[in-house]
Amino acid sequence: RVVKDGYMKLYPNPAKDNVNIDFIGLEKGDLSIVVTDLLGEEIMKQHYHVEIGVNTIRLSIGQLIKGVYFIKLNTKTDQVIERFVKEK
């Protein structure tokens, strides 16, 4: 496992321009972050490298319209999903 089960902190929530994602990396590896809307449509996808320990990613969401979204952290073996609200 690359990301510790069930641990992802998303803040601020609701957010305007950026959202921070904290998670614990259990081993080094690759990670994709996918933002989807309520219908499951992929809005954004970015790739990152995970380090062992606490990782923080700052994701720019200023281009999104106001609404509810999901952030998915995907590795080869895991997926963690959190909901967030984009404010105007």
Side-chain angles (χ1 to χ4, degrees):
R1 297 202 165 257
V2 176
V3 176
K4 182 177 179 182
D5 282 341
Y7 180 82
M8 179 167 72
K9 182 179 176 185
L10 195 65
Y11 61 95
N13 192 8
K16 290 184 180 184
D17 297 315
N18 297 291
V19 65
N20 298 299
I21 306 162
D22 290 351
F23 60 93
I24 295 175
L26 299 178
E27 60 185 58
K28 292 183 180 183
D30 296 318
L31 171 81
S32 68
I33 293 181
V34 179
V35 176
T36 63
D37 63 15
L38 285 175
L39 300 176
E41 298 283 330
E42 186 177 299
I43 306 298
M44 178 189 320
K45 185 174 188 175
Q46 296 183 10
H47 298 278
Y48 296 91
H49 183 75
V50 176
E51 295 294 330
I52 295 172
V54 176
N55 290 258
T56 299
I57 295 172
R58 185 177 179 99
L59 189 65
S60 175
I61 59 163
Q63 73 280 15
L64 299 178
I65 62 171
K66 181 180 177 181
V68 177
Y69 296 89
F70 292 95
I71 289 184
K72 299 178 184 181
L73 294 176
N74 296 312
T75 67
K76 290 180 183 179
T77 58
D78 302 310
Q79 183 178 69
V80 182
I81 303 171
E82 280 291 330
R83 177 186 163 278
F84 77 96
V85 175
K86 164 64 167 85
E87 289 184 328
K88 210 169 193 182

